Amino acid sequence: MFASKVSRIGVLILKQLSGGKLTSITRAGYNTSSCYNQYLQPLSETKLLRGVIFHKHHLFSTVSASDSSNEGIEQKEKISVTFVDKDGDEIHIKVPIGMSMLEAAHENDIDLEGACEASLACSTCHVIVMDMDYYNKLEDPTDEENDMLDLAFGLTESSRLGCQVIAKPELDGIRLAIPAATRNFAVDGYVPKPH
């Protein structure tokens, strides 16, 4: 009895998905009234039942010969970013569009601290944009970012927090200097005194 109710539910689901036109499915799992037969994967009767109930997206999945040729298109577009460390060494990396410079630095083992994990509660991811043309392409810093930048070591006119600099196509080629030191009160020896 349960199987017959499940079958009726499956038929209703198929009817809804096909826009009201009920299509027939053979025991092998092929949709016999569709022009997409060449792309459907054969399913056993058990898999068909599970496909309708639990994994219905597998029932309608397609395979195409051109899928492998489109793999490169699915990769995110990246920009070139150069980090200049305190010793003047340059580190060239590729950063996906939409990623913050702090995340990019961490993924590439660049020494940029980020103690507050990008919550705008510290200035340890302070970077200096080395070219004013790129600095002017950035969105204006928020009041919260400016408050944290006031605490940054070696503040300059083109200072920003790395967690707030987000990669976008017009920033391709940006150069960011990492200051020689940071101010992290919890790590730099600051001991709060009891009241």
Side-chain angles (χ1 to χ4, degrees):
M1 181 160 169
F2 175 74
S4 67
K5 285 188 178 190
V6 169
S7 296
R8 281 189 229 143
I9 292 171
V11 169
L12 289 174
I13 290 171
L14 286 173
K15 191 173 184 178
Q16 285 287 350
L17 290 173
S18 65
K21 298 180 277 183
L22 186 59
T23 57
S24 60
I25 296 181
T26 65
R27 289 180 59 88
Y30 287 109
N31 178 344
T32 58
S33 63
S34 171
C35 62
Y36 300 111
N37 286 344
Q38 62 185 346
Y39 301 112
L40 290 176
Q41 297 291 322
L43 300 170
S44 69
E45 195 167 1
T46 308
K47 287 184 180 176
L48 177 63
L49 183 61
R50 282 189 299 185
V52 171
I53 296 171
F54 302 107
H55 303 289
K56 65 182 177 187
H57 64 277
H58 290 289
L59 179 64
F60 299 103
S61 67
T62 60
V63 177
S64 152
S66 63
D67 281 347
S68 61
S69 65
N70 291 335
E71 287 177 11
I73 297 173
E74 294 175 8
Q75 292 179 348
K76 280 191 168 185
E77 185 181 347
K78 295 183 178 186
I79 64 169
S80 294
V81 176
T82 302
F83 282 92
V84 181
D85 67 13
K86 61 185 176 190
D87 299 324
D89 296 331
E90 294 187 359
I91 305 147
H92 304 282
I93 62 171
K94 294 286 188 181
V95 180
I97 301 296
M99 179 180 277
S100 75
M101 295 302 124
L102 175 63
E103 291 173 294
H106 286 177
E107 282 189 6
N108 290 279
D109 297 323
I110 295 171
D111 193 22
L112 187 61
E113 189 172 343
C116 73
E117 298 178 358
S119 64
L120 279 173
C122 74
S123 63
T124 58
C125 65
H126 170 222
V127 294
I128 300 166
V129 181
M130 298 180 76
D131 185 347
M132 283 306 283
D133 288 337
Y134 284 108
Y135 181 83
N136 292 330
K137 293 177 184 179
L138 296 172
E139 304 222 357
D140 290 335
T142 62
D143 290 339
E144 293 85 3
E145 182 180 358
N146 279 328
D147 290 343
M148 290 299 108
L149 282 170
D150 288 341
L151 304 173
F153 177 84
L155 187 66
T156 69
E157 293 276 326
S158 60
S159 289
R160 292 299 298 266
L161 296 180
C163 65
Q164 300 302 302
V165 178
I166 308 299
K168 52 187 181 178
E170 54 268 22
L171 295 180
D172 189 30
I174 192 170
R175 292 170 44 88
L176 302 171
I178 301 173
T182 62
R183 288 197 178 120
N184 184 350
F185 295 115
V187 175
D188 292 340
Y190 174 76
V191 179
K193 296 183 182 178
H195 297 291

